[in-house]
Amino acid sequence: MLRVLAVDDEEPALEELLYLLRADTRVRSAEGASGATEALRRIGAAVDAGPHDPAAIDVVFLDIHMAGLTGLDVAQLLAGFAAPPLIVFVTAHEGFAVQAFDLKAVDYVLKPVRRERLAEAVRRVAEQVGDRSAPVLDTAGDQIPVELGGVIRFVPIDDIAYAEAQGDYARLHTATGSHLVRVPLTTLEERWRSRGFVRIHRRHLVALGRIDELRLDAGSMSVRIGTAELAVSRRHSRALRDLLMRRTGR
């Protein structure tokens, strides 16, 4: 049973969100705060009181655009707490999903809030809260938010075979399809280097473990990943070959 704080400086939106949350049987209590300052005061008091206090907060459903401090500012401040509540962003703007990803939000719900979409966010939170004595699973480091038909979904990074640069965006390719995200390829390269992703071309970042074949043809190099054949630039060819050789122990 979840203890929820909903934060929005627009009263009608806050009342609607509280109504939907209180109708969910997994929510023990849902209280509202009309701005960032009030939210931080209540969260600070709840953290100081401890997880077993009646005023404890498991999760904050947080609007982004608010007067004064934004929801992103609040989330950054909460990151400095020893045991902060989980965060679900609720916003009319899809363009902040990457920041939500960086701030380790559990979910990102777009306004107008649909009952079934909010229920999915509550489910995600309930799974993470579980037994409060157990460590909380950090899903944000293992997933990336993508927009699908007006809904933000989180795709496991392990499902991504390669990423393709498209200007300031990147297209992520998985076995079941592709997703466009508002993140430059250079940013993904920095974040995912430790996860086995390597740059093979100015346009492509690939998961090393997903490479099926390395092909050499008249001095040019390419890799095959599933049905896709991707060129390897001369700049990256030697480093890629060395990585693959070390991986196979040759």
Side-chain angles (χ1 to χ4, degrees):
M1 296 290 287
L2 300 173
R3 298 159 295 184
V4 178
L5 178 67
V7 187
D8 198 314
D9 63 351
E10 295 183 359
E11 186 175 351
L14 179 59
E15 290 301 320
E16 175 68 11
L17 181 56
L18 287 171
Y19 172 79
L20 293 174
L21 286 167
R22 288 166 180 165
D24 194 306
T25 57
R26 293 163 295 189
V27 174
R28 176 192 301 178
S29 63
E31 303 299 328
S34 59
T37 302
E38 180 186 354
L40 287 170
R41 177 181 58 78
R42 295 177 67 168
I43 295 167
V47 170
D48 289 342
H52 302 297
D53 190 86
I57 298 169
D58 296 310
V59 58
V60 181
F61 282 76
L62 186 59
D63 188 25
I64 288 182
H65 278 294
M66 295 186 291
L69 293 175
T70 69
L72 296 173
D73 294 330
V74 172
Q76 289 173 338
L77 290 169
L78 293 183
F81 284 36
L86 300 175
I87 294 174
V88 172
F89 284 109
V90 183
T91 177
H93 305 275
E94 64 185 53
F96 294 98
V98 172
Q99 289 95 319
F101 165 73
D102 286 338
L103 291 167
K104 302 182 179 179
V106 176
D107 210 341
Y108 190 94
V109 179
L110 293 176
K111 296 179 180 179
V113 178
R114 295 182 292 110
R115 185 186 299 270
E116 59 272 22
R117 181 64 184 91
L118 188 64
E120 171 64 15
V122 172
R123 182 193 66 79
R124 290 171 182 259
V125 171
E127 284 184 352
Q128 287 208 22
V129 169
D131 182 356
R132 297 302 293 185
S133 65
V136 174
L137 177 64
D138 178 10
T139 59
D142 298 321
Q143 304 178 38
I144 184 168
V146 301
E147 191 274 331
L148 293 171
V151 176
I152 301 297
R153 300 295 187 192
F154 286 78
V155 173
I157 294 172
D158 288 343
D159 289 353
I160 298 167
Y162 66 96
E164 179 182 7
Q166 294 190 354
D168 291 333
Y169 292 70
R171 182 166 293 280
L172 311 179
H173 295 265
T174 70
T176 57
S178 67
H179 311 282
L180 192 65
V181 294
R182 196 176 302 179
V183 189
L185 199 66
T186 52
T187 300
L188 294 181
E189 180 183 9
E190 292 173 4
R191 291 178 180 172
W192 294 353
R193 184 176 292 114
S194 62
R195 303 186 69 97
F197 281 80
V198 295
R199 193 72 169 262
I200 64 167
H201 191 276
R202 62 182 178 84
R203 290 196 59 201
H204 291 119
L205 178 72
V206 305
L208 197 64
R210 295 298 190 97
I211 295 176
D212 297 311
E213 290 181 359
L214 178 67
R215 298 178 176 179
L216 298 172
D217 183 21
S220 64
M221 181 183 292
S222 65
V223 296
R224 182 178 65 80
I225 300 177
T227 59
E229 185 169 351
L230 308 175
V232 181
S233 69
R234 291 183 181 275
R235 175 185 172 188
H236 296 96
S237 59
R238 180 166 183 173
L240 177 63
R241 187 175 351 203
D242 289 346
L243 282 170
L244 290 173
M245 292 302 103
R246 286 202 298 270
R247 188 179 181 87
T248 57
R250 296 179 182 178

